[in-house]
Amino acid sequence: MRIAAALLHKCKTQCFQGYISISTSASISTNPYTTFFQVRRVANYADTAAGFEEMASGSHRRYYMLGGKGGVGKTSCAASLAVKFANHGHPTLVVSTDPAHSLSDSFAQDLAGGSLVAVQGVDSPLYALEINPEKTREEFRTVSQAKGDSEVKNLMSSMGLGMLADQLGDLKLGELLDTPPPGMDEAIAISKVLQFVESQEYNMFTRIIFDTAPTGHTLRLLSLPDFMDASIGKMMKMKKKLASATSAIKSMFGKGEMPQDTTSDKLEQLRERMAKVRDLFRNSDTTEFIIVTIPTVMAISESSRLRASLKKENVPVQKLVVNQVLPLSASDCKFCAMKRKDQMRAIEIIENDPELASLRLIQAPLMDVEIRGVPALKFMGDMVWR
């Protein structure tokens, strides 16, 4: 037992001699942005510049969406990018569209509640928002119980979901929300995107960053505007045919003209708003999707499929962040050497992958502590977003 313990201690000590190593002071502050943060050791790793100067240039608004497989570090990458933008003079908003939020953990600050929260400790305004579909549904239920379904429709209209409420007709919306239909989370996220585009409240932000859900949820979010556009188109065609048939029948029996129906106008308005979101996702002048992965064959395979799906949706992708890369170790740690060899093999797969090879490769080093709080995120941002 003593020999095994000694070997384990030796391996642990040697393993971390090659990592990015950081520390905080012995007296940990409860305030995350006043915590003393010190770099103990920075290892050498591939010099892969992210092109941050280009990302930060210009005062017109830009959107960055970070996505990929679950557990690869999307939130840390998104939060560190937000901190770096804020420290370079951009009023910045970082938004989590993942139902299982991690932004609060990353900033070491309570961001729950579904409303904008100011992040402290940066040079320019930085706000964070965790979209909370459950809170939104709870608001709908409360209003429905207190004032009836007509008020629910008014609330949904104020959130950009008015057409959805209209199309539900005479259904009991409060009861419907007890078992929300598939895609409701994505619909609420889309309504928030519309608010960012249309509302005066968000005009101040020149950089908006989306910390997206794992791959499947994100692809549904990106494809929803097209799905809605096609569905609305079919509904409008069907409505025109029914209206024409109804008008013909009424004229046969000498009935008067039908009252003007505003539903078609509302459908067209919703279609235009969905088109606005779709165009935003596809506009390479204002939007960029950044894929985040780790150097394993499974993660890279999913990233390749994600890139292919984004290409079909015409979503612009230029960068691939490979997170948790082990640097060269100066020790004789066999575990470190084998792990790095395995990672380099995975990175070679990227360089030969038809979907990923053309992307700018950014290697983010593995660190020996969690990245939590603004000082740690600033350190990570300086290492990754160069």
Side-chain angles (χ1 to χ4, degrees), residues 319-340:
K319 301 178 182 69
L320 173 67
V321 177
V322 183
N323 197 18
Q324 303 176 14
V325 177
L326 262 173
L328 282 167
S329 175
S331 72
D332 60 351
C333 169
K334 291 183 179 179
F335 173 83
C336 302
M338 288 299 296
K339 187 66 177 175
R340 179 173 169 81

Side-chain angles (χ1 to χ4, degrees), residues 235-262:
M235 289 168 65
M236 292 178 69
K237 287 180 181 178
M238 185 179 296
K239 187 165 182 60
K240 285 179 181 178
K241 288 181 180 179
L242 289 172
S244 177
T246 304
S247 178
I249 292 171
K250 282 184 176 289
S251 64
M252 286 174 59
F253 291 96
K255 300 289 185 181
E257 291 186 2
M258 294 178 62
Q260 187 175 1
D261 186 4
T262 60

Side-chain angles (χ1 to χ4, degrees), residues 168-291:
L168 293 174
D170 296 327
L171 294 175
K172 296 292 185 182
L173 294 177
E175 295 176 7
L176 179 69
L177 290 164
D178 288 334
T179 53
M184 187 67 175
D185 291 353
E186 285 77 15
I188 291 172
I190 286 288
S191 76
K192 281 294 182 184
V193 176
L194 280 168
Q195 287 184 11
F196 299 151
V197 175
E198 298 174 346
S199 174
Q200 297 290 324
E201 180 185 359
Y202 302 100
N203 277 354
M204 66 176 285
F205 298 112
T206 58
R207 295 294 181 272
I208 296 181
I209 298 166
F210 292 96
D211 171 31
T212 69
T215 304
H217 283 279
T218 299
L219 290 175
R220 282 201 300 273
L221 173 67
L222 294 172
S223 62
L224 185 60
D226 269 339
F227 172 78
M228 290 288 288
D229 182 63
S231 299
I232 292 167
K234 291 176 182 177
M235 289 168 65
M236 292 178 69
K237 287 180 181 178
M238 185 179 296
K239 187 165 182 60
K240 285 179 181 178
K241 288 181 180 179
L242 289 172
S244 177
T246 304
S247 178
I249 292 171
K250 282 184 176 289
S251 64
M252 286 174 59
F253 291 96
K255 300 289 185 181
E257 291 186 2
M258 294 178 62
Q260 187 175 1
D261 186 4
T262 60
T263 305
S264 296
D265 293 337
K266 290 180 178 179
L267 282 170
E268 186 58 40
Q269 289 171 14
L270 178 59
R271 193 176 190 179
E272 289 173 0
R273 298 185 82 204
M274 287 297 106
K276 193 179 291 186
V277 175
R278 180 192 60 209
D279 293 343
L280 173 68
F281 287 159
R282 296 175 176 177
N283 187 347
S284 59
D285 292 331
T286 60
T287 304
E288 181 182 347
F289 194 104
I290 300 174
I291 299 175

Side-chain angles (χ1 to χ4, degrees), residues 52 55 64-67 72-88 90 92-97 101-109 111 119-122 124-130 207-212 290 292 321 323 370-385:
F52 181 77
M55 295 168 73
Y64 290 91
M65 308 180 74
L66 282 80
V72 297
K74 297 184 297 294
T75 299
S76 296
C77 289
S80 64
L81 180 59
V83 169
K84 183 137 189 178
F85 275 136
N87 284 334
H88 279 72
H90 283 286
T92 302
L93 171 63
V94 56
V95 183
S96 172
T97 64
H101 299 295
S102 299
L103 269 185
S104 290
D105 297 328
S106 190
F107 282 106
Q109 189 174 337
L111 306 174
V119 176
Q120 305 298 322
V122 290
S124 291
L126 172 59
Y127 285 80
L129 169 67
E130 291 183 340
R207 295 294 181 272
I208 296 181
I209 298 166
F210 292 96
D211 171 31
T212 69
I290 300 174
V292 183
V321 177
N323 197 18
E370 282 188 314
I371 300 299
R372 296 186 71 240
V374 169
L377 290 168
K378 180 182 183 302
F379 172 76
M380 180 178 180
D382 290 342
M383 295 294 298
V384 177
W385 307 108

